[in-house]
């Protein structure tokens, strides 16, 4: 995964830990949401990279 979602995942994990330590369920929930957002951004970024690679491969094959 690229850096696009890494910050959100780290922020989410930190919020979850802080929420667990303090007993704050809202903060834990926000952390889970941030972490999910980070995973989603990473998946989209990876998919875009894969599509670019496929596109480049197809261009290379059509020239042969």
């Amino acid at each position: 995964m690229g850096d696009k979602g890494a910050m959100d995942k780290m922020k989410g994990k930190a919020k979850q830990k802080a929420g667990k330590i303090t007993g704050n369920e809202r903060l834990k929930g926000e952390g889970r949401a941030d972490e999910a957002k980070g995973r989603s951004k990473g998946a989209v970024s990876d998919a875009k990279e894969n599509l670019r690679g496929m596109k480049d491969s197809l261009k290379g094959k059509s020239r042969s």
Side-chain angles (χ1 to χ4, degrees):
M1 174 181 73
D3 291 333
K4 295 204 179 218
M7 287 301 293
D8 286 324
K9 283 179 64 175
M10 288 182 358
K11 182 173 75 170
K13 287 182 181 191
K15 279 185 179 182
Q16 286 181 66
K17 286 184 182 186
K20 187 173 183 177
I21 291 168
T22 62
N24 186 331
E25 291 297 320
R26 182 173 154 244
L27 190 57
K28 284 171 45 177
E30 286 177 13
R32 284 190 293 272
D34 286 343
E35 192 173 358
K37 184 170 98 174
R39 282 193 305 269
S40 175
K41 282 182 182 179
V44 169
S45 177
D46 289 347
K48 285 181 181 179
E49 286 179 34
N50 287 336
L51 287 174
R52 276 190 218 111
M54 288 172 54
K55 181 179 171 186
D56 291 343
S57 293
L58 291 173
K59 282 184 181 179
K61 288 182 181 181
S62 66
R63 290 181 185 163
S64 299

